[in-house]
Amino acid sequence: MRLLASLATAVAVYMAAGLFTGYTAAMRRRQAARRDLSRHHLWLVQAGSDLSPLQFVAGSGVLGLATLAVMTVVTAAWWLAIMPAVVMALAPYAFYTRRRRERLRQIRQAWPDALRDALAAISAGSTLTLALGDLAERGPAPLRPAFGRFRLMARMMGVVPGLEMMKEELGDPNSDRILEVLVLAHEHGGGLVAEVLRDLIGEITEDLRLEAEIRADGTEQRIESWVVVLIPWLLLLFLTQTSDQYQAFYRSGSGLVVVLAAVVWSAIGVALLRYIGRSTGEPRVLAGAREVEKGVWR
């Protein structure tokens, strides 16, 4: 059992390195023109990951199984290892969820400054195309890579295809709306471009302010809810390692029944927390040439 735990731990470390960096040799894939993305693949792309959904699920499963093996050796009762294994299996999802949320937030917050830079360039006599291309060098950092590729695509395929490619890359409803307005400004611009950009900056700034207020109101409740779920399990692990009576009970059949019942109730609690705290994302109704149906790219 110790050998199995050691092997599982080694595999878990290897998979975790690739899972959190995206550069493990077995997982690395070349960047290419992206074909139609599933909802799950799009989620990983927005999180900045090069993993496929299958690789992500496999890595999460390995982490969970490795934790199950190690905790079984430590506690000498496999049922006490169930909850830690579930937590570790869900850890990559939590990590990428946080990274995706942060990445999209940075992109949304960068748009007003990017549009102000473009507006200043247009007011100085530049065209919209040149103003957007210059953002690859002097625009906000979160948007520079996307505008760098836009500048190249605009030269090769035209401005509108370049903006459509940015939509696909960013994969965000807010960016879709902004880029669609930029497409319209390019096609029907002229003297209206500056006015359109000013209106767009005002709308985006107000949306960001409202979003920050909503996020701040829900942060404390989310932290408290997860503490309520995790504290009993941490206390259980502590007691089984420090008290012979607790250890003997939870190694028995009665202990197994108690733990399994607690797992069920914890799962129900987590599901309720996710349901109560859920937020409905804005649908990508302006996703360019792609047809969006129920949040899935087809």
Side-chain angles (χ1 to χ4, degrees):
M1 180 61 73
R2 294 183 183 275
L3 177 61
L4 175 61
S6 300
L7 291 175
T9 302
V11 173
V13 171
Y14 175 79
M15 297 290 287
L19 197 63
F20 288 105
T21 65
Y23 289 102
T24 299
M27 296 180 178
R28 189 174 182 180
R29 61 182 176 85
R30 296 182 180 276
Q31 290 288 346
R34 292 189 178 100
R35 293 170 288 182
D36 288 346
L37 299 179
S38 68
R39 178 179 56 186
H40 305 295
H41 201 166
L42 174 60
W43 185 87
L44 288 168
V45 169
Q46 291 174 336
S49 172
D50 288 336
L51 298 177
S52 69
L54 180 60
Q55 289 172 334
F56 178 81
V57 172
S60 301
V62 168
L63 285 177
L65 291 175
T67 303
L68 181 65
V70 172
M71 294 303 297
T72 298
V73 172
V74 172
T75 63
W78 64 267
W79 48 89
L80 292 179
I82 293 177
M83 199 61 186
V86 171
V87 171
M88 285 303 299
L90 294 177
Y93 173 79
F95 171 80
Y96 277 120
T97 296
R98 182 178 180 83
R99 194 164 83 168
R100 172 181 176 270
R101 186 184 301 118
E102 180 64 20
R103 182 171 177 265
L104 293 179
R105 185 183 65 81
Q106 290 177 353
I107 290 174
R108 286 195 294 270
Q109 291 182 340
W111 272 116
D113 289 337
L115 294 176
R116 289 188 187 100
D117 289 344
L119 178 60
I122 292 172
S123 300
S126 178
T127 65
L128 178 62
T129 303
L130 293 176
L132 295 179
D134 289 343
L135 293 177
E137 298 175 354
R138 56 183 179 81
L143 289 171
R144 285 182 185 178
F147 276 111
R149 284 181 282 274
F150 159 77
R151 183 164 57 182
L152 177 61
M153 293 302 299
R155 291 172 181 172
M156 296 175 57
M157 302 174 59
V159 176
V160 174
L163 293 173
E164 292 291 342
M165 289 294 292
M166 281 191 65
K167 282 186 187 180
E168 180 179 349
E169 179 181 349
L170 297 177
D172 172 52
N174 296 285
S175 298
D176 289 344
R177 177 165 56 90
I178 296 167
L179 292 169
E180 187 65 27
V181 172
L182 292 177
V183 169
L184 295 175
H186 170 73
E187 292 178 341
H188 308 285
L192 295 177
V193 173
E195 183 178 350
V196 168
L197 290 181
R198 290 191 188 94
D199 292 342
L200 188 57
I201 291 170
E203 292 176 5
I204 297 171
T205 302
E206 180 62 23
D207 289 345
L208 290 175
R209 185 192 63 79
L210 180 60
E211 179 185 346
E213 291 180 358
I214 295 174
R215 184 171 62 250
D217 290 340
T219 299
E220 183 178 354
Q221 287 79 2
R222 286 194 297 269
I223 294 175
E224 291 176 351
S225 62
W226 279 107
V227 168
V228 169
V229 172
L230 293 177
I231 286 298
W233 289 99
L234 295 176
L235 179 61
L236 174 61
L237 290 175
F238 173 76
L239 291 175
T240 55
Q241 296 303 305
T242 57
S243 172
D244 293 337
Q245 292 181 341
Y246 277 100
Q247 195 173 73
F249 173 77
Y250 283 105
R251 287 178 178 176
S252 66
S254 299
L256 171 62
V257 173
V258 171
V259 171
L260 291 180
V263 168
V264 172
W265 281 110
S266 294
I268 293 174
V270 170
L272 287 175
L273 289 175
R274 288 181 58 84
Y275 178 78
I276 294 173
R278 74 190 188 284
S279 59
T280 304
E282 182 181 350
R284 296 193 63 211
V285 297
L286 298 174
R290 296 180 182 274
E291 178 185 357
V292 180
E293 180 179 356
K294 297 181 180 179
V296 179
W297 284 12
R298 299 184 183 276

